[in-house]
Amino acid sequence: MLDVGKWPVFALLPPEELRLIRQACVFGSAANEALYVTVNDEVFALGTNCSGCLGLGDLQSTIEPRRIDVLCGKKIVSLSYGTGPHVVIATADGEVFAWGHNGYSQLGNGTTNHGLTPALVSTNLLSKRVTEVACGSHHTIALTTDGEVYAWGYNNSGQVGSGSTANQPTPRRVSSCLQNKVVVNIACGQLCSMAVLDNGEIYGWGYNCNGQLGLGNNGNQQTPCRIAALQGVNIVQVRVACGYAHTLALTDEGFVYAWGANSYGQLGTGNKSNQALPTLINTDKERMVEVAACHTSHTSAAKTQSGQVLMWGQCRGQAVASPHLTHFSSTDDVFACFATPAVTWHLLTVDGDDYLTVAQSLKREFDSPEISDLKFLVDGKCIHVHKALLKIRCEHFRALLNETDEESIEIHQFSYLVYRAFLEYLYTDTINLPPEDAIGLLDLATYYRETRLKRLCQETIKRGISEENAITLLSAAVKYEARDLEEFCFKFCVNHLTAVTQTQAFADMDHDLLKNFINKASRYGAFKN
């Protein structure tokens, strides 16, 4: 399962849909557009659909996912987007599809008409297999299996690498200094392009007024120029990343170099001065294994060999001038939580080996008889668990299981639904019950003195309160001495007094509870005209 929960655009997708996502990309000027691919290789889009960038054949926004039929089954291996936005993908077959904004021919189809559906980019690429694509604001570059680079679109600063500043309506091979050389990695800033060769050399071309080409000057370049200052420094393949107007490079020894614009501290040098030459970043001697940047923002991130994630640059409006250690486990989280806009810096993809975290592994093994060593019998049904985990997670079970070697335990005090939810909570740290059933779990949590579970039950009940069940939930809160929940339910009842007093639950209300409710509501002013 791909965790896309930090991106608000996915917030309305039901859990069963989220579990199917294997690739995802969030883009757009406000991070309001998204594409995702499911385990069945179906492609869906949702969001505001600016310039038809969702590829759905129209300009209608959609809050619910809609399928992009032409891309289903294509197996996307690379995806990038511009600020128009336009979207470009490469498939496992080496084909390139593009759609969205096309005011500068960035779709490579020879026109300036926006593309409402994904269309094959064919000119000069039909006999080529493309492995990677990268987009600037309004231009596109593509890398082939032969190590060749093709470019098209907006070219006001030479970012297409054609030797002129005329826009390029169809894919054209970037030759010049790259002729007879093998490129292994490409990246784009807003108005510039970068390429890494198989020998570790880096070439840049396009806009350079902030020094983002790393050439030691601020002149634009209409053809690729080698960054001489990195001579002798081996840049790791697929380890160069471009921000809006700055560039990061990762060496094979785990060092990070940065250059270009620095008004937000995005170079990580400790100041806000632009750098026209590559500058080594101080990362406290930690070996880096990943650098991350996105042409839509001034944010930078890196990941250490030990799994720590650093961020710097523009972070939610603040200028962080030196690498800052975070609690994140992925550079993706930096862009979801701190970049402006909060887009994805690359195509999010589940590891090819379907690696499971510890939490995911435990969740999968809950109630699985294959390797369990204990089962509970509740209402005639079995629930399979593991003694070691129960001892670790719950004081009640630690005491109980230290006193018995039984492989089967019968439970009579609680229902199957409630007890299964309790055991599942011990595996997942979450509960998934309707509010009425959460009352029974609240009873169990009180009995077993599980404070956190008690709090989760109360939160679940609060979210599910209604005029029909408010009195029932209030009664439960009083019974189990859940003071915060009791106060919440009471205030809800008072605020919806007319409707609540007309329910059957109110008519069946315990006499003492009814008396206390009326007294308290009176003090609250509920019966004033």
Side-chain angles (χ1 to χ4, degrees), residues 151-192:
W152 60 94
Y154 195 35
N155 195 36
N156 68 327
S157 304
Q159 58 265 44
V160 168
S162 60
S164 75
T165 55
N167 293 345
Q168 179 63 38
T170 56
R172 175 191 181 278
R173 187 180 173 193
V174 181
S175 51
S176 184
C177 293
L178 297 184
Q179 190 76 36
N180 300 320
K181 291 183 169 65
V182 176
V183 175
V184 294
N185 173 222
I186 55 175
C188 289
Q190 278 279 293
L191 299 168
C192 70

mmCIF file of all heavy atoms in Angstrom, residues 151-192:
data_model
loop_
_atom_site.group_PDB
_atom_site.id
_atom_site.type_symbol
_atom_site.label_atom_id
_atom_site.label_comp_id
_atom_site.label_asym_id
_atom_site.label_seq_id
_atom_site.Cartn_x
_atom_site.Cartn_y
_atom_site.Cartn_z
ATOM 1 N N ALA A 151 14.402 17.074 -26.602
ATOM 2 C CA ALA A 151 13.771 18.189 -25.896
ATOM 3 C C ALA A 151 12.798 18.910 -26.810
ATOM 4 O O ALA A 151 12.956 18.920 -28.036
ATOM 5 C CB ALA A 151 14.827 19.162 -25.385
ATOM 6 N N TRP A 152 11.769 19.537 -26.183
ATOM 7 C CA TRP A 152 10.789 20.305 -26.948
ATOM 8 C C TRP A 152 10.043 21.269 -26.027
ATOM 9 O O TRP A 152 10.087 21.144 -24.806
ATOM 10 C CB TRP A 152 9.825 19.384 -27.683
ATOM 11 C CG TRP A 152 9.011 18.440 -26.831
ATOM 12 C CD1 TRP A 152 7.759 18.637 -26.350
ATOM 13 C CD2 TRP A 152 9.401 17.131 -26.376
ATOM 14 N NE1 TRP A 152 7.324 17.547 -25.632
ATOM 15 C CE2 TRP A 152 8.314 16.601 -25.635
ATOM 16 C CE3 TRP A 152 10.554 16.355 -26.530
ATOM 17 C CZ2 TRP A 152 8.356 15.346 -25.045
ATOM 18 C CZ3 TRP A 152 10.590 15.095 -25.944
ATOM 19 C CH2 TRP A 152 9.509 14.602 -25.207
ATOM 20 N N GLY A 153 9.386 22.274 -26.660
ATOM 21 C CA GLY A 153 8.588 23.230 -25.893
ATOM 22 C C GLY A 153 9.208 24.602 -25.779
ATOM 23 O O GLY A 153 9.952 25.053 -26.668
ATOM 24 N N TYR A 154 8.913 25.272 -24.679
ATOM 25 C CA TYR A 154 9.328 26.652 -24.420
ATOM 26 C C TYR A 154 10.847 26.756 -24.421
ATOM 27 O O TYR A 154 11.537 25.922 -23.806
ATOM 28 C CB TYR A 154 8.760 27.081 -23.077
ATOM 29 C CG TYR A 154 8.772 28.568 -22.804
ATOM 30 C CD1 TYR A 154 8.579 29.504 -23.807
ATOM 31 C CD2 TYR A 154 8.967 29.027 -21.491
ATOM 32 C CE1 TYR A 154 8.559 30.861 -23.525
ATOM 33 C CE2 TYR A 154 8.947 30.382 -21.197
ATOM 34 C CZ TYR A 154 8.754 31.299 -22.215
ATOM 35 O OH TYR A 154 8.726 32.645 -21.936
ATOM 36 N N ASN A 155 11.381 27.806 -25.058
ATOM 37 C CA ASN A 155 12.832 27.879 -25.254
ATOM 38 C C ASN A 155 13.362 29.299 -25.147
ATOM 39 O O ASN A 155 14.356 29.638 -25.765
ATOM 40 C CB ASN A 155 13.198 27.265 -26.622
ATOM 41 C CG ASN A 155 14.677 26.977 -26.759
ATOM 42 O OD1 ASN A 155 15.321 26.587 -25.797
ATOM 43 N ND2 ASN A 155 15.218 27.177 -27.958
ATOM 44 N N ASN A 156 12.685 30.129 -24.348
ATOM 45 C CA ASN A 156 13.083 31.540 -24.291
ATOM 46 C C ASN A 156 14.492 31.741 -23.762
ATOM 47 O O ASN A 156 15.135 32.761 -24.010
ATOM 48 C CB ASN A 156 12.096 32.335 -23.434
ATOM 49 C CG ASN A 156 12.158 31.945 -21.971
ATOM 50 O OD1 ASN A 156 12.412 30.785 -21.637
ATOM 51 N ND2 ASN A 156 11.916 32.911 -21.091
ATOM 52 N N SER A 157 15.011 30.775 -23.010
ATOM 53 C CA SER A 157 16.345 30.914 -22.416
ATOM 54 C C SER A 157 17.314 29.855 -22.912
ATOM 55 O O SER A 157 18.403 29.697 -22.347
ATOM 56 C CB SER A 157 16.249 30.839 -20.888
ATOM 57 O OG SER A 157 15.360 31.815 -20.378
ATOM 58 N N GLY A 158 16.897 29.098 -23.899
ATOM 59 C CA GLY A 158 17.769 28.053 -24.434
ATOM 60 C C GLY A 158 17.608 26.712 -23.754
ATOM 61 O O GLY A 158 18.416 25.799 -23.959
ATOM 62 N N GLN A 159 16.547 26.531 -22.985
ATOM 63 C CA GLN A 159 16.379 25.306 -22.193
ATOM 64 C C GLN A 159 16.130 24.054 -23.025
ATOM 65 O O GLN A 159 16.243 22.934 -22.515
ATOM 66 C CB GLN A 159 15.262 25.477 -21.162
ATOM 67 C CG GLN A 159 13.895 25.842 -21.713
ATOM 68 C CD GLN A 159 13.627 27.345 -21.705
ATOM 69 O OE1 GLN A 159 14.486 28.146 -22.077
ATOM 70 N NE2 GLN A 159 12.442 27.729 -21.260
ATOM 71 N N VAL A 160 15.820 24.227 -24.306
ATOM 72 C CA VAL A 160 15.654 23.078 -25.188
ATOM 73 C C VAL A 160 17.001 22.621 -25.749
ATOM 74 O O VAL A 160 17.142 21.500 -26.239
ATOM 75 C CB VAL A 160 14.660 23.423 -26.325
ATOM 76 C CG1 VAL A 160 14.661 22.390 -27.422
ATOM 77 C CG2 VAL A 160 13.245 23.554 -25.750
ATOM 78 N N GLY A 161 17.997 23.479 -25.650
ATOM 79 C CA GLY A 161 19.357 23.102 -26.059
ATOM 80 C C GLY A 161 19.575 23.038 -27.545
ATOM 81 O O GLY A 161 20.462 22.324 -28.027
ATOM 82 N N SER A 162 18.793 23.811 -28.302
ATOM 83 C CA SER A 162 18.863 23.747 -29.766
ATOM 84 C C SER A 162 19.849 24.742 -30.367
ATOM 85 O O SER A 162 20.069 24.736 -31.577
ATOM 86 C CB SER A 162 17.475 24.010 -30.350
ATOM 87 O OG SER A 162 17.017 25.310 -29.966
ATOM 88 N N GLY A 163 20.415 25.630 -29.538
ATOM 89 C CA GLY A 163 21.329 26.644 -30.053
ATOM 90 C C GLY A 163 20.642 27.946 -30.389
ATOM 91 O O GLY A 163 21.275 28.897 -30.854
ATOM 92 N N SER A 164 19.307 28.013 -30.152
ATOM 93 C CA SER A 164 18.549 29.236 -30.405
ATOM 94 C C SER A 164 17.594 29.453 -29.236
ATOM 95 O O SER A 164 17.610 28.708 -28.256
ATOM 96 C CB SER A 164 17.768 29.129 -31.716
ATOM 97 O OG SER A 164 16.635 28.286 -31.542
ATOM 98 N N THR A 165 16.755 30.482 -29.363
ATOM 99 C CA THR A 165 15.726 30.724 -28.338
ATOM 100 C C THR A 165 14.329 30.602 -28.940
ATOM 101 O O THR A 165 13.349 31.056 -28.349
ATOM 102 C CB THR A 165 15.893 32.111 -27.698
ATOM 103 O OG1 THR A 165 15.892 33.108 -28.723
ATOM 104 C CG2 THR A 165 17.181 32.188 -26.887
ATOM 105 N N ALA A 166 14.250 29.969 -30.095
ATOM 106 C CA ALA A 166 12.941 29.718 -30.718
ATOM 107 C C ALA A 166 12.305 28.491 -30.061
ATOM 108 O O ALA A 166 12.992 27.495 -29.792
ATOM 109 C CB ALA A 166 13.107 29.488 -32.217
ATOM 110 N N ASN A 167 11.015 28.560 -29.795
ATOM 111 C CA ASN A 167 10.321 27.409 -29.220
ATOM 112 C C ASN A 167 10.450 26.192 -30.137
ATOM 113 O O ASN A 167 10.506 26.334 -31.367
ATOM 114 C CB ASN A 167 8.846 27.722 -28.984
ATOM 115 C CG ASN A 167 8.649 28.765 -27.904
ATOM 116 O OD1 ASN A 167 9.574 29.067 -27.144
ATOM 117 N ND2 ASN A 167 7.453 29.313 -27.824
ATOM 118 N N GLN A 168 10.486 25.021 -29.554
ATOM 119 C CA GLN A 168 10.671 23.783 -30.304
ATOM 120 C C GLN A 168 9.361 22.999 -30.284
ATOM 121 O O GLN A 168 8.961 22.457 -29.256
ATOM 122 C CB GLN A 168 11.803 22.957 -29.669
ATOM 123 C CG GLN A 168 12.068 21.630 -30.342
ATOM 124 C CD GLN A 168 12.523 21.766 -31.780
ATOM 125 O OE1 GLN A 168 13.279 22.685 -32.122
ATOM 126 N NE2 GLN A 168 12.039 20.884 -32.646
ATOM 127 N N PRO A 169 8.647 22.915 -31.437
ATOM 128 C CA PRO A 169 7.301 22.332 -31.440
ATOM 129 C C PRO A 169 7.260 20.807 -31.365
ATOM 130 O O PRO A 169 6.223 20.234 -31.006
ATOM 131 C CB PRO A 169 6.705 22.821 -32.762
ATOM 132 C CG PRO A 169 7.886 23.061 -33.641
ATOM 133 C CD PRO A 169 8.993 23.514 -32.742
ATOM 134 N N THR A 170 8.344 20.134 -31.702
ATOM 135 C CA THR A 170 8.398 18.665 -31.671
ATOM 136 C C THR A 170 9.728 18.226 -31.078
ATOM 137 O O THR A 170 10.685 19.009 -31.025
ATOM 138 C CB THR A 170 8.252 18.079 -33.095
ATOM 139 O OG1 THR A 170 9.272 18.648 -33.929
ATOM 140 C CG2 THR A 170 6.877 18.364 -33.679
ATOM 141 N N PRO A 171 9.821 16.974 -30.634
ATOM 142 C CA PRO A 171 11.073 16.497 -30.041
ATOM 143 C C PRO A 171 12.264 16.656 -30.988
ATOM 144 O O PRO A 171 12.192 16.307 -32.171
ATOM 145 C CB PRO A 171 10.790 15.020 -29.758
ATOM 146 C CG PRO A 171 9.305 14.962 -29.563
ATOM 147 C CD PRO A 171 8.753 15.966 -30.525
ATOM 148 N N ARG A 172 13.341 17.168 -30.442
ATOM 149 C CA ARG A 172 14.587 17.361 -31.192
ATOM 150 C C ARG A 172 15.728 16.839 -30.339
ATOM 151 O O ARG A 172 15.788 17.108 -29.134
ATOM 152 C CB ARG A 172 14.795 18.843 -31.497
ATOM 153 C CG ARG A 172 16.112 19.169 -32.173
ATOM 154 C CD ARG A 172 16.362 20.674 -32.201
ATOM 155 N NE ARG A 172 17.620 20.999 -32.860
ATOM 156 C CZ ARG A 172 18.811 20.952 -32.264
ATOM 157 N NH1 ARG A 172 18.895 20.589 -30.988
ATOM 158 N NH2 ARG A 172 19.904 21.257 -32.930
ATOM 159 N N ARG A 173 16.637 16.105 -30.930
ATOM 160 C CA ARG A 173 17.760 15.580 -30.158
ATOM 161 C C ARG A 173 18.683 16.712 -29.716
ATOM 162 O O ARG A 173 19.025 17.599 -30.492
ATOM 163 C CB ARG A 173 18.551 14.552 -30.958
ATOM 164 C CG ARG A 173 19.613 13.894 -30.077
ATOM 165 C CD ARG A 173 20.439 12.862 -30.801
ATOM 166 N NE ARG A 173 21.520 12.420 -29.921
ATOM 167 C CZ ARG A 173 22.558 11.715 -30.319
ATOM 168 N NH1 ARG A 173 22.672 11.378 -31.610
ATOM 169 N NH2 ARG A 173 23.492 11.354 -29.459
ATOM 170 N N VAL A 174 19.047 16.675 -28.424
ATOM 171 C CA VAL A 174 20.023 17.635 -27.887
ATOM 172 C C VAL A 174 21.394 17.056 -28.173
ATOM 173 O O VAL A 174 21.792 16.046 -27.566
ATOM 174 C CB VAL A 174 19.826 17.838 -26.370
ATOM 175 C CG1 VAL A 174 20.834 18.861 -25.850
ATOM 176 C CG2 VAL A 174 18.403 18.270 -26.074
ATOM 177 N N SER A 175 22.107 17.674 -29.092
ATOM 178 C CA SER A 175 23.404 17.113 -29.494
ATOM 179 C C SER A 175 24.532 17.996 -28.988
ATOM 180 O O SER A 175 24.857 17.976 -27.805
ATOM 181 C CB SER A 175 23.452 16.919 -31.012
ATOM 182 O OG SER A 175 23.064 18.119 -31.684
ATOM 183 N N SER A 176 25.118 18.794 -29.884
ATOM 184 C CA SER A 176 26.217 19.686 -29.490
ATOM 185 C C SER A 176 27.228 18.918 -28.639
ATOM 186 O O SER A 176 27.735 17.875 -29.063
ATOM 187 C CB SER A 176 25.659 20.897 -28.734
ATOM 188 O OG SER A 176 26.676 21.810 -28.428
ATOM 189 N N CYS A 177 27.471 19.365 -27.412
ATOM 190 C CA CYS A 177 28.469 18.725 -26.544
ATOM 191 C C CYS A 177 28.055 17.328 -26.091
ATOM 192 O O CYS A 177 28.885 16.579 -25.555
ATOM 193 C CB CYS A 177 28.743 19.597 -25.318
ATOM 194 S SG CYS A 177 29.554 21.153 -25.698
ATOM 195 N N LEU A 178 26.791 16.981 -26.256
ATOM 196 C CA LEU A 178 26.326 15.661 -25.838
ATOM 197 C C LEU A 178 26.439 14.614 -26.947
ATOM 198 O O LEU A 178 26.138 13.441 -26.734
ATOM 199 C CB LEU A 178 24.869 15.725 -25.346
ATOM 200 C CG LEU A 178 24.603 16.573 -24.113
ATOM 201 C CD1 LEU A 178 23.143 16.454 -23.688
ATOM 202 C CD2 LEU A 178 25.521 16.162 -22.958
ATOM 203 N N GLN A 179 26.867 15.041 -28.124
ATOM 204 C CA GLN A 179 27.025 14.118 -29.243
ATOM 205 C C GLN A 179 28.019 13.017 -28.859
ATOM 206 O O GLN A 179 29.078 13.280 -28.290
ATOM 207 C CB GLN A 179 27.527 14.868 -30.481
ATOM 208 C CG GLN A 179 27.489 14.065 -31.760
ATOM 209 C CD GLN A 179 26.080 13.935 -32.318
ATOM 210 O OE1 GLN A 179 25.290 14.855 -32.214
ATOM 211 N NE2 GLN A 179 25.774 12.785 -32.900
ATOM 212 N N ASN A 180 27.647 11.770 -29.132
ATOM 213 C CA ASN A 180 28.508 10.612 -28.852
ATOM 214 C C ASN A 180 28.764 10.388 -27.363
ATOM 215 O O ASN A 180 29.703 9.690 -26.990
ATOM 216 C CB ASN A 180 29.853 10.753 -29.587
ATOM 217 C CG ASN A 180 29.669 10.850 -31.091
ATOM 218 O OD1 ASN A 180 28.824 10.154 -31.662
ATOM 219 N ND2 ASN A 180 30.448 11.724 -31.721
ATOM 220 N N LYS A 181 27.951 10.983 -26.526
ATOM 221 C CA LYS A 181 28.049 10.760 -25.081
ATOM 222 C C LYS A 181 26.788 10.039 -24.592
ATOM 223 O O LYS A 181 25.728 10.132 -25.212
ATOM 224 C CB LYS A 181 28.236 12.081 -24.331
ATOM 225 C CG LYS A 181 29.605 12.731 -24.591
ATOM 226 C CD LYS A 181 29.772 13.999 -23.764
ATOM 227 C CE LYS A 181 31.218 14.489 -23.814
ATOM 228 N NZ LYS A 181 31.646 14.905 -25.150
ATOM 229 N N VAL A 182 26.919 9.343 -23.466
ATOM 230 C CA VAL A 182 25.797 8.565 -22.932
ATOM 231 C C VAL A 182 25.262 9.235 -21.671
ATOM 232 O O VAL A 182 25.960 9.330 -20.655
ATOM 233 C CB VAL A 182 26.219 7.114 -22.610
ATOM 234 C CG1 VAL A 182 25.061 6.354 -21.969
ATOM 235 C CG2 VAL A 182 26.699 6.418 -23.870
ATOM 236 N N VAL A 183 24.045 9.711 -21.745
ATOM 237 C CA VAL A 183 23.386 10.358 -20.605
ATOM 238 C C VAL A 183 22.637 9.293 -19.800
ATOM 239 O O VAL A 183 22.005 8.405 -20.374
ATOM 240 C CB VAL A 183 22.417 11.457 -21.087
ATOM 241 C CG1 VAL A 183 21.641 12.061 -19.910
ATOM 242 C CG2 VAL A 183 23.184 12.544 -21.829
ATOM 243 N N VAL A 184 22.718 9.380 -18.474
ATOM 244 C CA VAL A 184 22.046 8.381 -17.624
ATOM 245 C C VAL A 184 20.985 8.993 -16.724
ATOM 246 O O VAL A 184 20.199 8.272 -16.104
ATOM 247 C CB VAL A 184 23.075 7.628 -16.755
ATOM 248 C CG1 VAL A 184 23.998 6.793 -17.615
ATOM 249 C CG2 VAL A 184 23.868 8.589 -15.871
ATOM 250 N N ASN A 185 20.957 10.325 -16.618
ATOM 251 C CA ASN A 185 19.990 10.975 -15.730
ATOM 252 C C ASN A 185 19.699 12.374 -16.237
ATOM 253 O O ASN A 185 20.591 13.079 -16.711
ATOM 254 C CB ASN A 185 20.566 11.030 -14.308
ATOM 255 C CG ASN A 185 19.724 11.823 -13.330
ATOM 256 O OD1 ASN A 185 20.223 12.577 -12.529
ATOM 257 N ND2 ASN A 185 18.419 11.654 -13.399
ATOM 258 N N ILE A 186 18.426 12.782 -16.156
ATOM 259 C CA ILE A 186 18.029 14.122 -16.579
ATOM 260 C C ILE A 186 17.178 14.779 -15.489
ATOM 261 O O ILE A 186 16.569 14.103 -14.662
ATOM 262 C CB ILE A 186 17.238 14.099 -17.901
ATOM 263 C CG1 ILE A 186 16.025 13.154 -17.783
ATOM 264 C CG2 ILE A 186 18.138 13.719 -19.068
ATOM 265 C CD1 ILE A 186 15.107 13.147 -18.991
ATOM 266 N N ALA A 187 17.162 16.109 -15.495
ATOM 267 C CA ALA A 187 16.325 16.866 -14.565
ATOM 268 C C ALA A 187 16.099 18.254 -15.147
ATOM 269 O O ALA A 187 16.888 18.739 -15.959
ATOM 270 C CB ALA A 187 16.978 16.969 -13.187
ATOM 271 N N CYS A 188 15.003 18.890 -14.712
ATOM 272 C CA CYS A 188 14.683 20.238 -15.190
ATOM 273 C C CYS A 188 14.349 21.163 -14.036
ATOM 274 O O CYS A 188 13.612 20.789 -13.113
ATOM 275 C CB CYS A 188 13.467 20.209 -16.118
ATOM 276 S SG CYS A 188 13.759 19.461 -17.728
ATOM 277 N N GLY A 189 14.896 22.392 -14.092
ATOM 278 C CA GLY A 189 14.399 23.471 -13.273
ATOM 279 C C GLY A 189 13.283 24.157 -14.040
ATOM 280 O O GLY A 189 12.837 23.667 -15.085
ATOM 281 N N GLN A 190 12.833 25.285 -13.560
ATOM 282 C CA GLN A 190 11.761 25.986 -14.276
ATOM 283 C C GLN A 190 12.132 26.278 -15.720
ATOM 284 O O GLN A 190 11.349 26.022 -16.628
ATOM 285 C CB GLN A 190 11.443 27.298 -13.550
ATOM 286 C CG GLN A 190 10.519 27.147 -12.358
ATOM 287 C CD GLN A 190 9.056 27.069 -12.757
ATOM 288 O OE1 GLN A 190 8.481 28.031 -13.252
ATOM 289 N NE2 GLN A 190 8.452 25.917 -12.546
ATOM 290 N N LEU A 191 13.340 26.794 -15.934
ATOM 291 C CA LEU A 191 13.742 27.237 -17.270
ATOM 292 C C LEU A 191 15.112 26.716 -17.674
ATOM 293 O O LEU A 191 15.772 27.300 -18.538
ATOM 294 C CB LEU A 191 13.746 28.779 -17.334
ATOM 295 C CG LEU A 191 12.406 29.472 -17.085
ATOM 296 C CD1 LEU A 191 12.602 30.973 -16.892
ATOM 297 C CD2 LEU A 191 11.453 29.210 -18.248
ATOM 298 N N CYS A 192 15.553 25.625 -17.043
ATOM 299 C CA CYS A 192 16.851 25.063 -17.393
ATOM 300 C C CYS A 192 16.761 23.545 -17.430
ATOM 301 O O CYS A 192 15.790 22.953 -16.967
ATOM 302 C CB CYS A 192 17.938 25.512 -16.414
ATOM 303 S SG CYS A 192 17.783 24.802 -14.761
#
